[in-house]
Amino acid sequence: DQQVKQNSPSLSVQEGRISILNCDYTNSMFDYFLWYKKYPAEGPTFLISISSIKDKNEDGRFTVFLNKSAKHLSLHIVPSQPGDSAVYFCAASVYGSARQLTFGSGTQLTVLP
Amino acid sequence: GAGVSQSPSNKVTEKGKDVELRCDPISGHTALYWYRQSLGQGLEFLIYFQGNSAPDKSGLPSDRFSAERTGGSVSTLTIQRTQQEDSAVYLCASSLGGDLKTQYFGPGTRLLVL
């Protein structure tokens, strides 16, 4: 039973356009959400996070939106750059605890020059 | 180096053999985590060490899996009597306390059990 789902295994976007990566979750106890970026042969790196008390968090070109009623979060990257090409994982946690950190299966983003 | 390192980077073993995977966390990070990622799946939590507290082993899939952390630094994940379903990428991460935003991952060990 996957509690965190990323239903799109891949996404291609033209350079300069917006990339939207989606993530759905089922556990209503999740209250902290994170996005990670992973390049080949490297471990995931933390990108941006959001607490359940917010519905939006922005950091430069990256914005995460949280819709608690729909149990849905999304990561927007604008403008997209070729260096953004990587696998993006969303993750969810209970009480911000790493012990309860649950990851999605990832979306491969390819930004075309 | 300044990051989390893991060894070996790749390991091929025969079913039934024991394997040891090593993790060197970032110096000063008190928390250390092990995850695994099977093909097509997200990262799965295995075990968590925090300082001198008893580790949280709630994610270990069976008693064939064990981990230790010596001197609050290096950690070893041991899988006994490996099975084909143990094939996965095993990732280690460390962080300052339990702050997930300071969590850094190693490059992983790709384990293949034949």
Side-chain angles (χ1 to χ4, degrees), chain B residues 81-103:
Chain B
R81 306 180 301 283
T82 52
Q83 303 294 313
Q84 288 182 328
E85 61 263 29
D86 299 335
S87 297
V89 177
Y90 288 82
L91 287 159
C92 174
S94 68
S95 69
L96 286 170
D99 184 357
L100 291 173
K101 285 187 279 190
T102 69
Q103 186 186 48

Side-chain angles (χ1 to χ4, degrees), chain B residues 44-100:
Chain B
E44 173 191 3
F45 166 77
L46 297 177
I47 188 169
Y48 166 71
F49 296 89
Q50 170 62 286
N52 295 321
S53 302
D56 178 349
K57 304 178 182 180
S58 59
L60 294 178
S62 79
D63 58 8
R64 296 185 295 104
F65 288 73
S66 62
E68 61 178 26
R69 188 179 185 192
T70 52
S73 180
V74 172
S75 177
T76 303
L77 176 69
T78 302
I79 309 173
Q80 295 178 309
R81 306 180 301 283
T82 52
Q83 303 294 313
Q84 288 182 328
E85 61 263 29
D86 299 335
S87 297
V89 177
Y90 288 82
L91 287 159
C92 174
S94 68
S95 69
L96 286 170
D99 184 357
L100 291 173

Side-chain angles (χ1 to χ4, degrees), chain A residues 14 21-22 26 29 33 39 64 68 72 74 80 82 89 109:
Chain A
Q14 208 67 37
L21 298 117
N22 294 303
T26 57
M29 294 294 291
F33 304 89
Y39 292 116
V64 56
K68 289 188 290 294
H72 177 83
S74 60
S80 302
F89 292 96
L109 173 66

